[in-house]
Amino acid sequence: MSAQEYRKDDRSIEDRLAHIETQNNAIIDALQKKHKKHIFIGLEDENEERGNWSGRFDFFLSCLGYAVGLGNVWRFPYLCYKNGGGAFFIPYVIMLAFVGMPIFFLELSLGQFSSSGPLTCWKYAPLFQGVGVGMVAVSAMVAIYYNMIIGWSLYYLFASFTSELPWEKCDPEWATEMCLDYIKKVDNAGACEMMEYHVNRTQGACYNKTTDKIAAIFDLALAKDNGIERQLPSEQYFERKAIGNAFSDGLGDLGPMRWQMVLCYLLAFILVVLALSKSIKSSGKVVYFTATFPYIVLVILFVRGLMLDGYKEGIEFYITPKTDRLTDSVIWKDAAVQIFFSLSASWGGLIALSSYNRFHNDCLRDAIAVSLGNCLTSVFAGFVIFSYLGNMSHELGVPIEDVARSGASLAFTVYPYAVTLLPASPFWAIIFFLMLLTLGVDSQFVLVETVTTALMDRFIVLRKYKLLTVMVLCAIFFLLGLTLTTNGGIYMLEVMDTYSGGWNIMFIAICECISLCYVYGIRRFLVDIETMIGYKVCGFCPFIACKYWWALNWCVISPVIVLATMIFSWVKYTDMEGDEYPEWSDALGWLMTLTVIVAIIGGALLALCSGEGSFTDRLRQATTPTVEWGPALVKHRSLVAKYVPGFVVDPWGKGGEVAPDDIKLQMKEPSQVEQKTPNPSHTAQYQAQTAPGAYGPGAPVYVTYVE
């Protein structure tokens, strides 16, 4: 408005300032929507179509949270106990160096270079496109049963908000006569006679003469041999109150769904939807808590465990090596399987996570840091666990091997009982189950994100409906997993855990190594990696000093070790043990395994059948990179064109060698433009052009700088 009109404006100065502030905010919002970044803190997506992590720590913590899961807490310590204590560390470290780290680095490199998820990153060799389908199938199956374990954690977390933990004592509502509180431990048979109990010396137990029920045990080993064994209150609570498997005869008798578990299972999926509702940026912020909180809890529990009686015996049992076990092939097989299970390699999640990285991120640094961090977490968790197992052995008067268990029994039976031995046990129970929850959810986030990313890469239109896609996926997973909420659901979970991520994962790893080393070409793959991460890795080490080490592992060592492990697992294969698993339970498990294998073979056949010409021509087409293979952005594809003859820089027709989205405009004076001479050694290019609508001498010129 003019000065005269301004003087006639009778608004107060506060109203005018408020009006100006509103206009400024509107301008800022418009600029942020246009550039898709915060104009003050400068967080910009390099790939605006797919999006990127907000920062390096988002990706690092997401990878760490994905790799560090429930298996680190309940599976690794048990395998140490089973395979000679500290002796298990030797094959475990060897498998980490020759199998775990190489596969981990390979997948991070593949996802970051192609900016594609596990379903669409195989354009370098379409013959192997079925491997991506197999990865997605594995992640989907694991996501279904893994969320049930999170549901159990939620159930126990809610049950811990009380003044006295419900599994601290035997409750007649759910406890049986074999519950620990109802059967005493006496020193000898004479003690039973003094209490006027009937003594059965062949069973090592004493009976109440009135009720004819077991009242005491004077010989634990003899009683155990005769099928008489006391059960912890936490064990009976888990089996009879929480999940109800005590009321099921096995997989053939699932029984009704338990409404408490249905609600907890549903809540677990709701947490996943909330975390993934926006994009990887929302889950990238959640992991700042979920990936770090377990370490805080583990440290607290370890310090408390060192104050308990019997902790030394537990830790000594954990770390004392039995070197004679190293000659047993089983220990090497267990180490290889645990590496895949622990690092979550060949599940597709690592490819999905790294696909959101910026192109020049140092993925080798991340691979080494996450792999070492994950394995050190497993070792440290073992110290925490066995300090409490030593205390339990001391309190119960039984050998440590009788309280060291694996799987759900360790997490939801032994740990809850150990917590009852601590002062203020409800507080410690809340802390412990929060730790289990955070250990599980960040792995679950990535499992669901893997499937979501694969679908959105395959069907681009779904990127506009990320929330709806995640909701539909979680709804499908929830419905498919309702059998896990029944009384016999734990038996279904064991079948899925055994077969959905077994040797089919190793087959996927072998396919990855063969496709990249012998079909795509190991030399080109190494140059691709060097183009991304530069000549120096980890800030100081020349990549040339280590790249042949990785090449040797990918081409020879890793696939040979994995193949040997697969063959050994077939030779030593046994059916699901126990009367709870009928013969058809193994057939059901093999169907899950063969789903992945059929997907891999089917993808190869599809690639061959969709080609043109003779079989040789079709095979050549199926093993040759497609025109779209390579980085997602044109400015990065131009780097590849420098060492790959005939490489198509702009297969999508974005406009020459430089896409419009890759250009940044800066206002410069003509004199400055003339003095600006690009350095030929730099990959950046400079172009000068007259600004639209401005002509003649002295007109401002926009310099476009292509990064």
Side-chain angles (χ1 to χ4, degrees), residues 338-593:
Q338 176 61 16
I339 282 294
F340 276 95
F341 188 89
S342 181
L343 292 177
S344 302
S346 299
W347 290 22
L350 298 175
I351 297 177
L353 290 175
S354 61
S355 69
Y356 294 104
N357 275 340
R358 286 166 172 78
F359 186 75
H360 292 296
N361 177 67
D362 189 349
C363 55
L364 176 56
R365 173 200 58 204
D366 295 332
I368 295 175
V370 174
S371 299
L372 291 178
N374 171 74
C375 295
L376 289 175
T377 301
S378 297
V379 174
F380 179 64
F383 281 96
V384 179
I385 291 162
F386 275 89
S387 65
Y388 284 88
L389 292 179
N391 175 256
M392 290 182 61
S393 173
H394 175 79
E395 294 290 335
L396 298 176
V398 297
I400 293 179
E401 51 265 29
D402 289 342
V403 294
R405 303 181 182 183
S406 179
S409 296
L410 183 62
F412 296 98
T413 297
V414 176
Y415 287 163
Y417 182 75
V419 168
T420 62
L421 304 177
L422 304 177
S425 55
F427 169 77
W428 294 107
I430 293 171
I431 292 296
F432 173 75
F433 288 111
L434 271 177
M435 182 191 71
L436 282 189
L437 182 63
T438 53
L439 278 173
V441 292
D442 45 13
S443 297
Q444 180 69 8
F445 292 162
V446 181
L447 290 171
V448 177
E449 181 66 42
T450 300
V451 184
T452 305
T453 298
L455 291 176
M456 292 192 303
D457 285 346
R458 181 64 181 83
F459 307 101
I460 305 297
V461 68
L462 294 179
R463 291 179 181 174
K464 300 179 181 179
Y465 310 100
K466 173 70 180 288
L467 176 58
L468 181 61
T469 302
V470 173
M471 291 178 64
V472 171
L473 271 179
C474 288
I476 294 174
F477 291 165
F478 172 74
L479 294 175
L480 292 175
L482 283 177
T483 55
L484 301 172
T485 65
T486 61
N487 288 338
I490 190 173
Y491 305 118
M492 177 64 76
L493 186 145
E494 290 290 344
V495 172
M496 297 182 70
D497 183 45
T498 301
Y499 286 96
S500 62
W503 65 266
N504 50 3
I505 296 298
M506 302 182 193
F507 187 68
I508 289 176
I510 293 176
C511 290
E512 288 180 301
C513 293
I514 292 175
S515 64
L516 281 168
C517 295
Y518 299 105
V519 178
Y520 180 63
I522 186 61
R523 292 182 180 178
R524 178 172 171 180
F525 187 52
L526 290 174
V527 178
D528 290 342
I529 296 175
E530 193 168 3
T531 302
M532 286 192 303
I533 65 180
Y535 297 105
K536 288 188 177 181
V537 292
C538 302
F540 68 93
C541 178
F543 182 62
I544 193 174
C546 63
K547 68 179 182 180
Y548 295 110
W549 160 258
W550 300 110
L552 178 63
N553 280 282
W554 293 332
C555 293
V556 181
I557 300 177
S558 297
V560 168
I561 292 178
V562 174
L563 180 61
T565 305
M566 283 181 59
I567 294 174
F568 177 79
S569 65
W570 292 336
V571 173
K572 295 289 185 177
Y573 170 75
T574 56
D575 296 337
M576 299 288 293
E577 298 179 356
D579 297 333
E580 300 87 359
Y581 301 99
E583 294 181 358
W584 55 266
S585 61
D586 292 284
L588 178 63
W590 278 107
L591 284 176
M592 299 178 190
T593 298

Side-chain angles (χ1 to χ4, degrees), residues 18-196:
H19 179 67
I20 294 173
E21 183 178 1
T22 302
Q23 289 181 323
N24 288 339
N25 290 335
I27 294 172
I28 291 174
D29 292 339
L31 288 173
Q32 290 178 177
K33 290 180 180 179
K34 179 179 180 181
H35 297 290
K36 297 184 180 179
K37 68 174 183 177
H38 196 294
I39 65 174
F40 292 120
I41 61 178
L43 296 179
E44 180 182 8
D45 283 344
E46 184 180 63
N47 188 334
E48 294 185 356
E49 186 177 1
R50 283 185 98 251
N52 296 107
W53 298 103
S54 298
R56 293 177 180 177
F57 276 104
D58 292 22
F59 169 69
F60 176 79
L61 291 177
S62 295
C63 272
L64 186 64
Y66 177 49
V68 177
L70 297 171
N72 297 75
V73 173
W74 71 33
R75 200 167 187 267
F76 178 83
Y78 173 76
L79 290 176
C80 286
Y81 145 73
K82 173 187 172 185
N83 292 292
F88 184 70
F89 294 160
I90 298 175
Y92 184 74
V93 171
I94 292 176
M95 291 298 175
L96 171 66
F98 292 101
V99 178
M101 279 188 180
I103 299 298
F104 201 96
F105 179 39
L106 180 147
E107 294 196 346
L108 292 190
S109 301
L110 177 59
Q112 181 172 310
F113 182 78
S114 63
S115 294
S116 298
L119 201 61
T120 55
C121 68
W122 306 94
K123 295 177 182 178
Y124 67 88
L127 185 68
F128 293 87
Q129 60 186 349
V131 178
V133 180
M135 287 180 168
V136 175
V138 169
S139 293
M141 288 187 289
V142 174
I144 292 172
Y145 79 80
Y146 203 81
N147 223 34
M148 187 69 259
I149 302 175
I150 298 175
W152 294 348
S153 301
L154 288 170
Y155 178 89
Y156 271 81
L157 178 62
F158 296 146
S160 300
F161 285 93
T162 179
S163 58
E164 182 179 349
L165 295 176
W167 59 85
E168 188 169 345
K169 298 179 180 178
C170 298
D171 190 334
E173 178 187 352
W174 42 264
T176 67
E177 61 182 21
M178 299 305 296
C179 197
L180 185 70
D181 294 346
Y182 300 155
I183 302 177
K184 301 176 182 178
K185 171 65 175 70
V186 295
D187 295 332
N188 49 54
C192 289
E193 294 174 347
M194 293 180 60
M195 292 183 286
E196 299 184 352

Side-chain angles (χ1 to χ4, degrees), residues 592-610:
M592 299 178 190
T593 298
L594 291 176
T595 299
V596 178
I597 307 303
V598 170
I600 296 174
I601 298 175
L605 293 176
L606 179 62
L608 292 173
C609 294
S610 59

